[in-house]
Amino acid sequence: WRWLAPGGAVLWYDFTVNNPRNPDVRGVPLDEVRALFPQGRVTARRLTLAPPLARAVCRIHPRLYPLFNVVPLLRTHVLAWIEKPR
């Protein structure tokens, strides 16, 4: 953060939930991202349908993906723009 120029930003993309099949893989909730960058202005959106669900849905038919991805609760990944104040 200290290397980032004022007005610069960090682009963050990560999953927010833990992997139930692998205890070594932990999600990073948006509250934790905000805590990591307390001075930053965070703009975030949930984007990606949970991969296991996406794979299952696409096996049935790929056109089902957008229908399932409409439900925010099913999106497990976040894209965040974290801006450093000027």
Side-chain angles (χ1 to χ4, degrees):
W1 188 251
R2 63 186 162 134
W3 294 345
L4 191 62
V10 173
L11 183 64
W12 180 288
Y13 178 76
D14 209 344
F15 51 96
T16 59
V17 295
N18 295 340
N19 183 333
R21 293 187 176 158
N22 185 346
D24 295 325
V25 178
R26 292 183 45 242
V28 182
L30 197 49
D31 289 341
E32 192 171 329
V33 174
R34 286 190 171 101
L36 289 170
F37 300 95
Q39 299 88 15
R41 190 174 77 218
V42 179
T43 305
R45 294 185 71 176
R46 288 182 163 273
L47 294 179
T48 308
L49 184 62
L53 182 57
R55 285 189 291 272
V57 164
C58 286
R59 264 188 245 115
I60 297 168
H61 198 285
R63 289 196 179 171
L64 290 174
Y65 182 95
L67 295 174
F68 279 76
N69 201 39
V70 169
V71 182
L73 185 63
L74 300 178
R75 295 185 219 142
T76 57
H77 291 63
V78 168
L79 180 68
W81 184 254
I82 308 161
E83 190 173 351
K84 185 174 186 177
R86 294 186 184 265

